Amino acid sequence: MILKSKIKRISSVLFLTIVLLCPISAQELPLFKDGDVVALIGDSITHGGSFHTFLQIFNATQFPNQKVSYFNGGVAGDNTPGTIDRLEKDILIHKPNHAIIMLGMNDVGRWLYPGSKKVDAETLKKREDILKVYTKNMRKLSALLVEHGVQLIFTTPSIYDQTADIERKNNFGINDGLIDFGKAVRSIAEKYDAPVVDFNTSMLAVNKKIQAKDKTATIVGHDRIHPGDEGHLVMAYEIIKTVIPVVFTSNIEIDAKTNMIITTTNCKVDIKDGIHKFSVMQNALPFPVKESLRSTEKLILGTENITRENFSVLHLNKGKYKLLIDDIEVGIYSHKELKSGIDLSRNSLTPQYKQAEKVSDLCFQYKNTNDKLRTIAATEFRTLKEFKGPNTYEAKKAFLEAKNEKSKGKSWYFYEKKKAKEYFEVLPKQDSLWKALDTIRDKIYTSNKPVIHTYKLIKI
């Protein structure tokens, strides 16, 4: 028995040593596996947002053999009770085995934050009551999802920007309320041993950096609530950093003197023809980020990209070298730069980056198609929730027009009018849109497969 115990301890130490010494590649760490279905549960920030599209692009490029289905389950204006009501027909219908949950912006009771920093005891009590209701509903929602075999990924609510110097009225304190919601989310996550992605803290940190230079800048819109692509990139990266600890898209280190491969990670290199011409087969593609978002990315990550595509060559003769990939010139580098290692992950000239951009374009096509389907869902599960008439075009149109007329003069009047119009335009196309979603998903996972590339280093 003592011998078995010793062997077990030694085995554990050896296993830990092997894990620590072996390089970890992106291909070994997929959060979502082939065949998984991921539901994105939320309000308008999920409904019209792009953080889940960035996540889809990341997974499709870093794990090209893991075909995953993503379903946007956000509804503009929704809250926790509304989500519970539509859960079965709108979310569980897709049979997800993972869910990323972000709710709270419409639960926090924004009317309880008039903008003054001093509030009376009655208002404070109402805020406490709202927190209790939110916590209760989140517990119920989580339990229902777990009952259906769904693995949970919680997030704290995204920020309400109460620091930007912009014209929009500042309901100061809302973000403090959302931070309290985040604490409630953490307590629920502990029960399920589930990860919590802290959107709020990461978005505040980036916002603080940009507002140090420009007080009018914000990573959310001028309504202080809805993030633009900058904010959604912050959110996507926070998911990645929290639950997908990727190290390299690829890592190549070669010795020019001996024509020997020193290190490769997540790729295969063949240098039988010598250092000046060799082939590379990567297991992943670069994670493409548009030029317009690079400054935001640097604020998130600093100087080192999260998915490095490192290429280094030691013992080259002094001088400058032209790097060609598939006979396309992608850059000129000194022998010192090549010795230190260059990161090709943001080089938009490389064939692999151009391939990744096509994957990104397809993911945004997927998003746009999903957005149209969400117009139907949002209308039927929220705007038409109280509709009791016959299931006809005319009856629904009359109901929506009457409802919209009652909201005339309200801030949401034109938005709801526009969405009602879109609903009737999109509804007849519903079946074809679902088919299009499947087709685009198939295209994503055929266009994302890495291919062999020929590298050439030419001294100039």
Side-chain angles (χ1 to χ4, degrees), residues 302-317:
T303 56
E304 200 167 67
N305 187 21
I306 200 167
T307 53
R308 301 186 298 284
E309 192 180 352
N310 187 60
F311 175 66
S312 61
V313 184
L314 309 182
H315 302 127
L316 282 167
N317 293 328

Side-chain angles (χ1 to χ4, degrees), residues 52-243:
H52 38 80
T53 305
F54 291 130
L55 178 64
Q56 183 182 27
I57 295 164
F58 180 87
N59 280 299
T61 53
Q62 297 310 296
F63 314 112
N65 296 315
Q66 310 296 328
K67 186 177 180 182
V68 179
S69 300
Y70 297 84
F71 290 101
N72 186 337
V75 164
D78 209 3
N79 51 19
T80 49
T83 303
I84 291 167
D85 286 346
R86 66 183 169 88
L87 184 66
E88 186 175 344
K89 292 181 179 178
D90 188 32
I91 294 164
L92 293 176
I93 193 171
H94 300 299
K95 298 180 180 178
N97 57 338
H98 294 274
I100 300 176
I101 311 166
M102 181 180 65
L103 289 160
M105 190 63 76
N106 298 317
D107 293 85
V108 76
R110 298 199 296 269
W111 62 89
L112 294 174
Y113 299 86
S116 57
K117 294 186 180 181
K118 289 184 178 181
V119 293
D120 56 37
E122 184 181 353
T123 301
L124 289 173
K125 176 67 167 57
K126 287 179 180 178
R127 291 179 186 177
E128 289 174 7
D129 291 342
I130 276 180
L131 175 58
K132 288 176 184 175
V133 171
Y134 172 79
T135 306
K136 181 182 177 182
N137 287 334
M138 283 293 287
R139 282 179 180 150
K140 183 176 180 181
L141 175 63
S142 303
L144 288 169
L145 286 163
V146 169
E147 278 176 23
H148 285 83
V150 181
Q151 294 182 47
L152 307 178
I153 300 171
F154 293 92
T155 78
T156 61
S158 58
I159 65 169
Y160 174 89
D161 191 340
Q162 57 191 36
T163 55
D165 187 5
I166 54 180
E167 290 183 8
R168 180 71 177 229
K169 182 183 175 182
N170 188 354
N171 295 91
F172 189 86
I174 288 177
N175 200 62
D176 300 281
L178 293 172
I179 288 171
D180 288 338
F181 277 17
K183 292 174 184 175
V185 165
R186 288 185 186 282
S187 68
I188 297 166
E190 283 179 11
K191 177 182 176 181
Y192 298 104
D193 194 24
V196 179
V197 180
D198 193 352
F199 285 158
N200 204 282
T201 298
S202 59
M203 293 177 80
L204 283 178
V206 173
N207 228 21
K208 186 177 180 180
K209 289 177 184 177
I210 64 172
Q211 288 173 4
K213 295 180 179 179
D214 180 359
K215 291 181 180 180
T216 66
T218 176
I219 57 167
V220 300
H222 277 239
D223 64 355
R224 299 184 183 271
I225 293 171
H226 294 91
D229 277 349
E230 293 84 358
H232 281 283
L233 185 67
V234 177
M235 294 161 72
Y237 263 125
E238 196 59 28
I239 297 173
I240 294 163
K241 290 191 292 178
T242 303
V243 293

